[in-house]
Amino acid sequence: MADTTQQGSNLGPTTDSEAAGVVDTSTASGKFNRFDNPWLNPKLLWGVGILLFIILMGMIGQFLWNTELVFTGSTPLRLPPVGFENLRGTPGVADYPLGTDGAGRDLLALLIVGTPNTLMIGAVASLIGMSTGIFLGFSAGFIGGRVDDVIRILSDVMITMPPLLILVVFQAAFGDVSLIMMAVLIAGFMWQSPTRLIRAQVLSMRESGYVKMAQLSGASTMHIMFREMMPNLVPYLFGSFIANVTTAIVTAVGLEVLGLGPQRIPTLGRVIYDAINSGALIQNLWWWWGLPTALLAIMFIALLLVNLGLDEVSNPRLRKL
Amino acid sequence: MSGAASSGIPREYILNRLITFVITVWLAATLIWIIPRLSPVDPAEVMLGRMAAGGAFVEGADQILEQLRERFGLNEPLWMQYLLYLRSIITFDFGLSAASFPTPVAALIWQALPWTLGLMLLSVIITFIIGNALGAFMVWERTPRVWKVVIPSLMIFTAIPPILSGLLLLYLLSIKMRQWTGGDFFFPLTGSYGLNVEPGFTLEFVNSVIYHGTLPALSIILVTFGFWTLGMRGLMITVQGEDYVNLAKAKGLRPRYVLYKYMVRNAILPQVTAFALKIGLLVSGQILVERIFSYNGMGKLLYDAILDQDFAVIQGVSFIIILMTAASVFIVDLIYPLIDPRIRQSTQGAA
């Protein structure tokens, strides 16, 4: 809910900041305002803050809480969170503060173990996709010709292909997969948009003055790529990375909710799958499906905030609102 | 507009898009074919295992296995298998379903397809209109101040994938609503029409379909309109600073006229192409929503097939959905030049 007010308050001072902008230009060499640094915009800070909190929860939680409780039958069945009663009137106990599921697993332990797994799939898949995208995008933009044609057509083709369906075929054929394998598979669908983005940027940058200048002064292609062009692409790359993390997690959760993906490792999607399959919705076991859903929702909101914040960094016009 | 349209869309542009479309479909078909063959699991054995699990002992298992292999063409050389497969997939022949043997997979798909298409068309159109309208109003200087606070807060929903919003809506508007209203009014938990309603063009049936479709559609609309809103906002901000908008305002045209005819008209064009980038995710999202609501579409068919390890159905559903996606991108690409005269003029279809 804090995010709502955050966004709301963001709009309030619209006119004030416009007024301040006028003042700023008149005192051109005036003192630095904290908000002058585009990287410190509130959306970005909030988003990164929430994400860090979730990651820390997973990292520290493993030492503070007994993660053995993720195994089936290690707790009583269907206990509600502390302060609630389930349909049979059993109150929650402090031993299992977030309640337990229908197979005797502690939800807090499931969340502590499952959240980092889910985030990791997203990060690894996006990282691999990103690196591939940078490589292909630069190659297409720089080498041009046939290479460009092939890469452009391939990324055009792959961008329309729904990742979920190819992955469903794959996992249905292969059965169980490991977390890393899943991340690599998803990464196969994460390189197209960075490739297109970088290719377009490289094509437009290649004609710009400073690149021409570097070429004339005999700089190597590598130098031009990584020292001249890359710094300008950083906000785009970050934005694209975060967008891809979101897509990768959505895809992973989708596969898990269909009952595919890693079978023995707890992930948030897997918890939701178990809950739906055991009729947790109808039996009013809201904590079982509700808590992982809420956690995922918070995660996605944080990722969206980061993405919006990065948009403002790379496109100053958006800061107006 | 209509006069210029007669000059036609550049042939090179159409050819370009057509090649992309054909490669997409071919690549999807090939992937679907290769992947199971990389797997250590023999599909015929899996199928037999299922039959055995159902009926304990299978008489003459070896013979059946041989027959299944024959049916799948697994005894032919690989390239022959591939060509046979391509021929059969073009004619939508995906073989027979193992779970509901011997129903052809195509028959199952044709039953499910209208539901998926209907739900998708409806939600995409509604989302596109709502999303773009909100995005435009977010930037327009005459929008009431309240809306400028309300619309950004709605953006929070964009972050959530439809499967999660589906779960929440199902819980709130179906299960909880039933408790709150004492069973008087609530949305159905599963299905795409009432069990006691005979399918047909009757008012009762249509009502039932709308009643059952509301929640799935709502859960998609709620979380996808923001994509268009954010895109539209960015485009509107860019358009807002253009000279022709300032000129239009200076001429004293009505603000609403300037908004629709000058700003939205220009900002909406890239949004149509954004559709091509988004549709893959939209489709995946809807498949999952259908699974949650047990909606009688492709999503439920796919999920049941995964549970039953019915590989022919999984292949068929995946191929048809990818074909649908590629076809809709192709159609959007063809419509695009009609609404953007600039593409018609230049022979290079770089957009």
Side-chain angles (χ1 to χ4, degrees), chain B residues 163-183:
Chain B
I163 188 168
L164 302 183
S165 63
L167 275 174
L168 281 173
L169 286 181
L170 196 57
Y171 182 68
L172 290 177
L173 294 185
S174 179
I175 294 166
K176 278 288 159 186
M177 185 82 110
R178 189 177 204 159
Q179 288 173 12
W180 293 331
T181 58

Side-chain angles (χ1 to χ4, degrees), chain A residues 141 197-212 229 233 236:
Chain A
L197 186 103
I198 290 165
R199 178 181 168 271
Q201 291 289 327
V202 168
L203 283 181
S204 74
M205 269 194 261
R206 213 169 52 166
E207 302 304 316
S208 65
Y210 65 93
V211 173
K212 282 259 152 70
M229 287 181 164
L233 286 173
Y236 290 102

Side-chain angles (χ1 to χ4, degrees), chain A residues 178-199:
Chain A
S178 68
L179 275 182
I180 292 293
M181 185 67 183
M182 176 122 154
V184 171
L185 285 175
I186 294 175
F189 296 86
M190 291 296 128
W191 55 269
Q192 309 90 316
S193 53
T195 303
R196 288 164 63 110
L197 186 103
I198 290 165
R199 178 181 168 271

Side-chain angles (χ1 to χ4, degrees), chain A:
Chain A
M1 286 304 101
D3 311 311
T4 323
T5 53
Q6 181 58 40
Q7 290 235 338
S9 68
N10 228 3
L11 285 170
T14 309
T15 45
D16 306 285
S17 62
E18 270 166 13
V22 176
V23 178
D24 266 5
T25 46
S26 59
T27 57
S29 61
K31 44 188 172 331
F32 262 108
N33 186 328
R34 191 165 66 90
F35 295 105
D36 284 350
N37 186 344
W39 291 92
L40 288 178
N41 71 63
K43 283 178 198 145
L44 195 55
L45 291 180
W46 269 96
V48 171
I50 298 173
L51 280 183
L52 279 181
F53 178 77
I54 294 177
I55 294 170
L56 276 181
M57 187 196 85
M59 282 167 67
I60 300 176
Q62 301 196 337
F63 298 105
L64 297 181
W65 195 249
N66 179 10
T67 51
E68 293 283 297
L69 294 177
V70 295
F71 294 111
T72 314
S74 53
T75 66
L77 307 187
R78 302 194 174 107
L79 278 182
V82 174
F84 294 95
E85 281 188 354
N86 63 14
L87 284 186
R88 293 207 197 101
T90 328
V93 286
D95 286 350
Y96 314 110
L98 294 184
T100 62
D101 73 358
R105 286 171 290 200
D106 178 44
L107 263 168
L108 181 58
L110 278 176
L111 294 188
I112 286 174
V113 179
T115 312
N117 287 344
T118 301
L119 268 173
M120 199 199 68
I121 292 179
V124 171
S126 186
L127 214 60
I128 300 174
M130 202 73 216
S131 327
T132 320
I134 291 176
F135 176 73
L136 290 179
F138 270 115
S139 312
F142 253 104
I143 304 170
R146 277 283 149 77
V147 179
D148 183 34
D149 285 343
V150 170
I151 293 176
R152 187 175 46 83
I153 291 179
L154 205 61
S155 59
D156 269 1
V157 162
M158 287 301 281
I159 212 150
T160 52
M161 214 171 279
L164 190 77
L165 290 152
I166 296 287
L167 292 173
V168 160
V169 172
F170 193 98
Q171 305 216 338
F174 276 71
D176 203 357
V177 288
S178 68
L179 275 182
I180 292 293
M181 185 67 183
M182 176 122 154
V184 171
L185 285 175
I186 294 175
F189 296 86
M190 291 296 128
W191 55 269
Q192 309 90 316
S193 53
T195 303
R196 288 164 63 110
L197 186 103
I198 290 165
R199 178 181 168 271
Q201 291 289 327
V202 168
L203 283 181
S204 74
M205 269 194 261
R206 213 169 52 166
E207 302 304 316
S208 65
Y210 65 93
V211 173
K212 282 259 152 70
M213 186 72 198
Q215 272 168 342
L216 286 176
S217 51
S220 67
T221 312
M222 278 293 158
H223 178 93
I224 295 175
M225 276 203 231
F226 290 102
R227 304 299 295 276
E228 304 282 343
M229 287 181 164
M230 202 65 153
N232 295 300
L233 286 173
V234 166
Y236 290 102
L237 292 180
F238 267 115
S240 175
F241 176 75
I242 293 297
N244 270 352
V245 171
T246 313
T247 316
I249 295 180
V250 169
T251 309
V253 169
L255 282 171
E256 286 154 16
V257 171
L258 284 175
L260 300 166
Q263 306 286 311
R264 281 179 286 274
I265 309 158
T267 54
L268 294 181
R270 187 84 198 162
V271 178
I272 297 177
Y273 169 78
D274 286 337
I276 302 174
N277 259 21
S278 320
L281 274 164
I282 307 166
Q283 294 172 43
N284 213 7
L285 307 169
W286 54 267
W287 58 92
W288 188 359
W289 61 268
L291 292 176
T293 303
L295 193 58
L296 276 174
I298 292 172
M299 212 145 92
F300 287 128
I301 289 170
L303 284 166
L304 176 77
L305 287 175
V306 172
N307 212 352
L308 292 180
L310 287 171
D311 267 354
E312 286 183 18
V313 174
S314 58
N315 187 355
R317 277 181 160 177
L318 293 177
R319 277 175 229 157
K320 266 176 74 179
L321 253 163

Side-chain angles (χ1 to χ4, degrees), chain B residues 13 268-270 272-273 331-343 351:
Chain B
Y13 173 83
I268 200 100
L269 293 175
V272 178
T273 26
I331 293 169
V332 169
D333 281 338
L334 287 190
I335 294 175
Y336 192 68
L338 298 178
I339 55 173
D340 188 358
R342 278 169 300 188
I343 290 213

Side-chain angles (χ1 to χ4, degrees), chain B residues 14-272:
Chain B
I14 299 181
L15 202 67
N16 225 326
R17 297 292 124 186
L18 191 66
I19 290 173
T20 314
F21 170 70
V22 171
I23 294 181
T24 311
V25 175
W26 167 77
L27 190 67
T30 307
L31 279 176
I32 290 173
W33 183 80
I34 290 178
I35 289 167
R37 275 159 187 81
L38 296 175
S39 160
V41 191
D42 181 349
E45 240 167 87
V46 169
M47 205 155 144
L48 193 70
R50 262 206 56 76
M51 287 180 176
F57 175 69
V58 181
E59 211 170 320
D62 287 342
Q63 269 175 314
I64 297 179
L65 201 64
E66 195 51 43
Q67 244 175 353
L68 283 174
R69 289 229 174 86
E70 196 82 38
R71 170 79 191 83
F72 290 136
L74 295 182
N75 296 331
E76 305 269 353
L78 263 186
W79 60 270
M80 193 64 197
Q81 282 182 37
Y82 180 61
L83 290 182
L84 282 176
Y85 162 81
L86 280 186
R87 196 186 64 187
S88 64
I89 213 161
I90 291 171
T91 53
F92 300 121
D93 170 19
F94 305 108
L96 306 177
S97 156
S100 42
F101 200 79
T103 322
V105 173
L108 291 174
I109 291 177
W110 294 134
Q111 254 167 29
L113 199 58
W115 294 103
T116 295
L117 273 179
L119 185 61
M120 186 149 102
L121 217 59
L122 189 74
S123 51
V124 161
I125 291 171
I126 295 179
T127 346
F128 191 79
I129 295 171
I130 296 183
N132 283 307
L134 288 182
F137 284 128
M138 224 164 149
V139 176
W140 197 37
E141 59 267 36
R142 283 168 186 268
T143 310
R145 226 183 155 69
V146 191
W147 282 102
K148 295 213 167 183
V149 181
V150 171
I151 299 175
S153 356
L154 289 177
M155 287 306 102
I156 288 296
F157 291 117
T158 329
I160 301 164
I163 188 168
L164 302 183
S165 63
L167 275 174
L168 281 173
L169 286 181
L170 196 57
Y171 182 68
L172 290 177
L173 294 185
S174 179
I175 294 166
K176 278 288 159 186
M177 185 82 110
R178 189 177 204 159
Q179 288 173 12
W180 293 331
T181 58
D184 286 339
F185 184 77
F186 59 93
F187 285 99
L189 206 54
T190 59
S192 44
Y193 57 90
L195 288 175
N196 47 2
V197 183
E198 196 70 29
F201 277 107
T202 57
L203 190 64
E204 201 188 7
F205 180 67
V206 172
N207 269 340
S208 180
V209 168
I210 294 174
Y211 176 55
H212 281 76
T214 308
L215 273 194
L218 199 60
S219 54
I220 297 171
I221 293 166
L222 194 64
V223 294
T224 45
F225 76 86
F227 169 77
W228 306 108
T229 307
L230 289 177
M232 191 63 175
R233 172 176 171 257
L235 292 164
M236 283 290 282
I237 288 176
T238 316
V239 168
Q240 200 180 29
E242 296 287 347
D243 289 339
Y244 58 81
V245 172
N246 286 331
L247 178 68
K249 280 185 203 159
K251 276 200 287 191
L253 294 176
R254 272 183 301 122
R256 239 164 233 288
Y257 189 80
V258 177
L259 174 71
Y260 293 127
K261 292 284 171 180
Y262 286 74
M263 296 168 78
V264 173
R265 176 78 177 87
N266 280 292
I268 200 100
L269 293 175
Q271 286 288 79
V272 178

